[in-house]
Amino acid sequence: MLTNICKKEVEELYPTPIFQQTSFWSVVKSSLGANTIAINFSLKKSELFTLYEKDSLINSDILVILQQINRDHSIAYIPYGPEIEPDDEFKGQFLEELSE
């Protein structure tokens, strides 16, 4: 499902109305002690939406926040993301692959 998965510079995040998925939010969270990474990925529209029969690709990205909990543990989360919201029958597989 997901292809072309690669890390990219946070400044290269695609424009989005989701404030917490912007490079500015990365700066805010970094100033509060969190680490951030941007991940780019592609996937076929037909693997997200039932009405697409063609295999055209969607290119998207996510901002991942890495927050240290204590000396030995941290959590990673995607605030208000991902921006892509697949049809119900594809959500589970999409989120599972994205989290891996």
Side-chain angles (χ1 to χ4, degrees):
M1 184 180 228
L2 295 177
T3 60
N4 302 324
I5 302 166
C6 60
K7 186 176 176 180
K8 67 181 187 178
E9 296 297 321
V10 172
E11 296 80 19
E12 297 173 344
L13 283 165
Y14 298 134
T16 177
I18 303 172
F19 185 69
Q20 291 85 356
Q21 283 292 303
T22 63
S23 58
F24 177 78
W25 192 247
S26 172
V27 172
V28 170
K29 295 305 283 184
S30 294
S31 71
L32 297 172
N35 293 318
T36 62
I37 57 172
I39 305 291
N40 202 62
F41 62 91
S42 301
L43 61 161
K44 295 177 183 176
K45 287 183 181 179
S46 62
E47 295 177 339
L48 292 173
F49 310 109
T50 55
L51 298 179
Y52 284 93
E53 296 177 10
K54 297 179 185 175
D55 281 336
S56 57
L57 289 177
I58 294 176
N59 294 309
S60 190
D61 58 15
I62 52 173
L63 176 67
V64 180
I65 311 292
L66 304 165
Q67 184 68 51
Q68 199 71 30
I69 298 174
N70 59 36
R71 193 179 70 150
D72 299 319
H73 299 91
S74 61
I75 60 170
Y77 65 99
I78 304 167
Y80 295 94
E83 186 172 13
I84 295 173
E85 188 169 335
D87 290 342
D88 287 341
E89 60 263 32
F90 300 111
K91 280 183 185 179
Q93 183 179 358
F94 171 66
L95 292 174
E96 181 179 342
E97 287 192 27
L98 188 61
S99 65
E100 289 176 3

